[in-house]
Amino acid sequence: MTERVVLAYSGGLDTSVCIGWIAEETGAEVIAVAVDVGQGGEDLDVIRKRALACGAVEAEVADARDEFADEYCLPAIKANALYMDRYPLVSALSRPVIVKHLVAAAHKHGAGIVAHGCTGKGNDQVRFEAGISSLAPDLKCIAPVRDYAMTRDKAIAFAEAKNLPIATSKKSPYSIDQNVFGRAVETGFLEDIWNAPIEDIYEYTQNPAEPREADEVVITFKQGVPVAIDGKPVTVLQAIEQLNQRAGAQGIGRLDIVEDRLVGIKSREVYEAPGAIALITAHQELENVTVERELSRYKKGVDQRWGELVYDGMWFSPLKRALEGFVEEANQHVSGDVRMTLHGGRAVVTGRRSEESLYDFNLATYDTGDTFDQSLSKGFIEIFGMSSKIAAKRDLRA
């Protein structure tokens, strides 16, 4: 029986060439799988037909936009997931949902190998292969760009020699990955970390320096889930899409960061994630109102570790799964409204309200009606500072 390979297919030059390249290198039949995570671009049916025209024996396409939003982006919002305190895991979140569909296709078509188009120096090779091995340890993985030295020049030459139905002459100076949660841009002149980004690289956001009217928005959450925008019910996907438009129009969510890649190198990345930044900002503020102090303090460490695991490709790991249980529990009371002003590249919280609020006006006020018994504070301070006071006395003796 002929070996079968399931290929993560984007419809672009590299993965189109991979179809014939894999067949020639391994003698296997190739099944192409394209997954829509809100990246836009070509129609899925066009992509499917191109895969077949490039030599795939089967081609599957999956509209995973709601799945991606509900099962991958939403947990990131609940965990306030910002790698290195800034990056909302745009690419890292999309890889496990693609992996899930690749593994399902491999089982359906009797394939023993899964292939992807990643290089050998990025994070995505780890995310694909660690994810695949976690869901299906029996499957093997290959990466033609990495394993067979499939350079861009070789890919173009192969496409022209085989007369593949794919453009080979146009080459963007950037490497771009995008989905509904955001957009990542790297390489080209950005590899010199002194060079400032130019306006041409952005698509999801407008220039925040341009004068425009501010936009006020109210986001409603229920147990950490965004359920309404300005009082109108939305799905998670719709919440992200609407805030991509509104926050993006105000230049919100632009990030220029030198980040620590999993493989050990530092890489300069430019991101646009207007909806993600707006939602995480609002969610963090509602947590400030509704989550008890010690739980909130501890959750910040859990959030950071959760984000690191996802960035590192450990979506299906036992630790990430366990931490997600904690995050879910911590979000049980994160319900209410957050009002934000979107303007000048910033999403600024201006109001918050919740029936689950732990904010007590009568305890917080300094005016008449204050119910806080200030006479208790003196004794509290004595006990709270006692251990440090005793240590200080010892140090003075020394």
Side-chain angles (χ1 to χ4, degrees):
M1 182 178 175
T2 304
E3 179 70 81
R4 288 192 145 192
V5 176
V6 165
L7 170 67
Y9 185 65
S10 69
L13 172 66
D14 290 341
T15 53
S16 292
V17 167
C18 277
I19 294 172
W21 193 288
I22 291 169
E24 288 194 0
E25 290 286 337
T26 68
E29 295 179 336
V30 177
I31 295 98
V33 176
V35 182
D36 184 358
V37 286
Q39 65 266 36
E42 294 180 303
D43 181 83
L44 283 178
D45 192 52
V46 172
I47 292 174
R48 185 185 68 81
K49 289 175 179 176
R50 180 178 302 135
L52 294 172
C54 288
V57 296
E58 300 274 0
E60 292 191 1
V61 293
D63 183 349
R65 289 174 296 174
D66 278 301
E67 178 187 1
F68 177 52
D70 292 341
E71 299 178 27
Y72 300 84
C73 301
L74 177 58
I77 294 167
K78 289 182 176 181
N80 304 311
L82 297 170
Y83 181 66
M84 296 178 69
D85 298 322
R86 293 178 66 195
Y87 166 48
L89 300 172
V90 169
S91 298
L93 287 170
S94 72
R95 301 319 183 219
V97 69
I98 295 170
V99 162
K100 182 179 170 184
H101 284 272
L102 292 173
V103 169
H107 290 156
K108 175 182 174 181
H109 295 284
I113 300 173
V114 175
H116 58 80
C118 303
T119 70
K121 62 191 294 186
N123 300 309
D124 283 337
Q125 57 178 336
V126 183
R127 294 165 182 159
F128 276 112
E129 295 183 30
I132 290 163
S133 65
S134 294
L135 292 184
D138 55 315
L139 291 177
K140 297 178 183 178
C141 295
I142 60 172
V145 175
R146 179 193 68 199
D147 300 340
Y148 303 129
M150 196 188 85
T151 63
R152 179 86 180 185
D153 290 342
K154 289 181 181 178
I156 291 173
F158 186 93
E160 290 176 346
K162 303 293 182 181
N163 198 27
L164 297 182
I166 182 77
T168 60
S169 58
K170 183 180 179 182
K171 183 182 185 305
S172 168
Y174 316 113
S175 173
I176 298 172
D177 180 60
Q178 62 191 46
N179 57 56
V180 74
F181 212 53
R183 184 169 177 269
V185 185
E186 62 176 0
T187 71
F189 80 98
L190 295 172
E191 289 179 343
D192 182 339
I193 61 176
W194 185 250
N195 288 338
I198 59 174
E199 201 61 30
D200 288 352
I201 71 172
Y202 297 108
E203 285 189 11
Y204 284 17
T205 56
Q206 301 299 311
N207 187 345
E210 291 180 2
R212 57 175 63 86
E213 292 295 318
D215 184 6
E216 187 174 271
V217 62
V218 175
I219 305 173
T220 303
F221 291 86
K222 184 174 182 180
Q223 296 184 325
V225 182
V227 295
I229 303 291
D230 290 333
K232 297 180 181 178
V234 290
T235 64
V236 178
L237 177 63
Q238 290 169 340
I240 298 168
E241 289 176 334
Q242 289 182 27
L243 287 166
N244 275 342
Q245 291 295 319
R246 292 176 65 174
Q250 299 288 338
I252 293 164
R254 291 187 175 187
L255 307 164
D256 181 356
I257 179 174
V258 176
E259 72 185 41
D260 292 317
R261 281 190 179 176
L262 175 59
V263 295
I265 64 176
K266 288 185 180 290
S267 173
R268 199 270 188 90
E269 309 282 343
V270 174
Y271 297 107
E272 299 177 276
I277 293 298
L279 284 165
I280 290 173
T281 300
H283 180 266
Q284 285 175 318
E285 185 60 24
L286 193 56
E287 281 192 341
N288 289 343
V289 175
T290 59
V291 178
E292 182 270 335
R293 183 186 68 183
E294 295 306 314
L295 175 56
S296 178
R297 287 177 174 177
Y298 195 84
K299 184 175 181 290
K300 286 178 173 61
V302 172
D303 290 347
Q304 180 179 347
R305 190 71 187 103
W306 189 96
E308 290 168 350
L309 287 167
V310 174
Y311 182 89
D312 290 347
M314 294 288 102
W315 180 271
F316 301 105
S317 70
L319 176 57
K320 181 263 177 187
R321 207 161 46 236
L323 293 182
E324 201 148 278
F326 174 90
V327 171
E328 282 295 313
E329 175 62 29
N331 272 271
Q332 290 307 299
H333 297 290
V334 185
S335 300
D337 300 322
V338 175
R339 186 181 66 237
M340 293 195 301
T341 297
L342 310 176
H343 190 239
R346 299 178 64 211
V348 179
V349 174
T350 62
R352 61 292 272 165
R353 63 188 175 195
S354 171
E355 293 183 1
E356 304 279 355
S357 174
L358 297 176
Y359 177 85
D360 187 326
F361 175 85
N362 292 324
L363 286 173
T365 185
Y366 286 88
D367 294 334
T368 303
D370 180 7
T371 59
F372 187 89
D373 188 348
Q374 297 190 39
S375 67
L376 299 175
S377 293
K378 183 175 177 60
F380 165 75
I381 295 167
E382 284 288 332
I383 295 172
F384 182 76
M386 186 175 294
S387 63
S388 293
K389 182 178 180 180
I390 294 169
K393 286 181 177 180
R394 177 202 62 194
D395 295 344
L396 285 172
R397 289 197 304 269

